[in-house]
Amino acid sequence: KVDQLTEENSILSQNQEELKRLRDLYQLDGDYSEYDKVAAQVISKDPGNWYSTFIINRGTNDGIAVDMNVISGGGLVGIVTEVGQDWATVRSIIDDASSVSAMTVSTSDTCIVSGDLRLLDEGKLAFGQMNTDNVITAGEKIVTSNISDKYLKGILIGYVEEVTEDSNHLTKTGYIIPAVDFQHIQEVLVIKELKSAGGE
């Protein structure tokens, strides 16, 4: 009887956790309601703790194409890099090969957010090349910029944790706490619109 109750309790906990994730996904769907999206589940990932590249269970049969933006949790996860009929590979913004043109919400100052797996154990992303005379403070929202070639404008990347002025006194670098938990991605939304097709 105790074993049965323990098992039922475990199933109930899993169901509650799944319900929370789906509610968060529903909320995110509403936050970016201007875009047509398709939901997908993660079915495979690279070894290790982090979802730097992973495979989802949707592909060309569902209208998925290379360079489509992928969101989950609180914001931007990454971009589709390869696609088959019923699967697609996603490279996340934490991957070393990733680079995203971004901007601050309050001042529209642009910067480059770079993936760096070494920073991940601290739960951070790095940004650089920010040209600004404005004061950028901790907590500032960083979103995808209008000059990004593949990422749609205005998708939340994360929040500034720290900013330092470079030695040239012209640019700033710093760290961002990402909006997405890159250790626990199970469901995502793929935005079915390409930047090159007028996704400004």
Side-chain angles (χ1 to χ4, degrees), residues 123-149:
K124 297 177 184 178
L125 283 166
F127 72 84
Q129 302 177 37
M130 182 181 285
N131 297 297
T132 180
D133 295 324
N134 295 307
V135 176
I136 306 299
T137 57
E140 171 73 44
K141 270 187 183 181
I142 301 289
V143 300
T144 50
S145 80
N146 56 320
I147 58 172
S148 177
D149 58 344

Side-chain angles (χ1 to χ4, degrees), residues 50-71:
W50 303 97
Y51 284 75
S52 55
T53 58
F54 55 89
I55 295 173
I56 56 175
N57 65 343
R58 303 284 187 184
T60 52
N61 290 345
D62 302 284
I64 307 297
V66 169
D67 288 342
M68 284 182 172
N69 294 195
V70 180
I71 58 177

Side-chain angles (χ1 to χ4, degrees), residues 56-193:
I56 56 175
N57 65 343
R58 303 284 187 184
T60 52
N61 290 345
D62 302 284
I64 307 297
V66 169
D67 288 342
M68 284 182 172
N69 294 195
V70 180
I71 58 177
S72 183
L76 183 65
V77 170
I79 201 161
V80 174
T81 57
E82 194 178 356
V83 64
Q85 286 190 341
D86 57 2
W87 61 271
T89 301
V90 177
R91 185 181 70 222
S92 75
I93 60 172
I94 63 171
D95 189 77
D96 285 337
S98 177
S99 177
V100 184
S101 177
M103 67 181 183
T104 59
V105 167
S106 65
T107 63
S108 297
D109 290 308
T110 58
C111 61
I112 301 295
V113 175
S114 303
D116 187 341
L117 293 175
R118 293 168 303 174
L119 282 174
L120 283 182
D121 288 332
E122 301 173 46
K124 297 177 184 178
L125 283 166
F127 72 84
Q129 302 177 37
M130 182 181 285
N131 297 297
T132 180
D133 295 324
N134 295 307
V135 176
I136 306 299
T137 57
E140 171 73 44
K141 270 187 183 181
I142 301 289
V143 300
T144 50
S145 80
N146 56 320
I147 58 172
S148 177
D149 58 344
K150 293 182 179 179
Y151 289 98
L152 300 162
K153 178 186 173 184
I155 301 174
L156 179 63
I157 296 171
Y159 303 88
V160 171
E161 185 202 46
E162 181 185 328
V163 187
T164 54
E165 192 172 274
D166 295 332
S167 56
N168 61 17
H169 302 296
L170 298 173
T171 55
K172 293 178 180 177
T173 57
Y175 298 105
I176 297 168
I177 302 298
V180 174
D181 177 359
F182 286 99
Q183 273 189 300
H184 306 96
I185 301 175
Q186 295 190 46
E187 298 92 9
V188 298
L189 294 172
V190 182
I191 298 176
K192 295 171 67 176
E193 185 170 324

Side-chain angles (χ1 to χ4, degrees), residues 9-73:
N9 193 38
S10 175
I11 291 170
L12 185 62
S13 295
Q14 289 173 14
N15 289 343
Q16 286 178 327
E17 183 58 35
E18 183 179 15
L19 181 61
K20 181 187 181 303
R21 292 198 318 271
L22 294 176
R23 278 181 176 157
D24 289 346
L25 212 61
Y26 182 74
Q27 172 70 44
L28 191 67
D29 188 28
D31 291 344
Y32 297 97
S33 58
E34 68 270 31
Y35 299 121
D36 183 24
K37 295 174 286 298
V38 62
Q41 287 190 317
V42 177
I43 54 172
S44 176
K45 65 183 276 292
D46 281 354
N49 295 332
W50 303 97
Y51 284 75
S52 55
T53 58
F54 55 89
I55 295 173
I56 56 175
N57 65 343
R58 303 284 187 184
T60 52
N61 290 345
D62 302 284
I64 307 297
V66 169
D67 288 342
M68 284 182 172
N69 294 195
V70 180
I71 58 177
S72 183

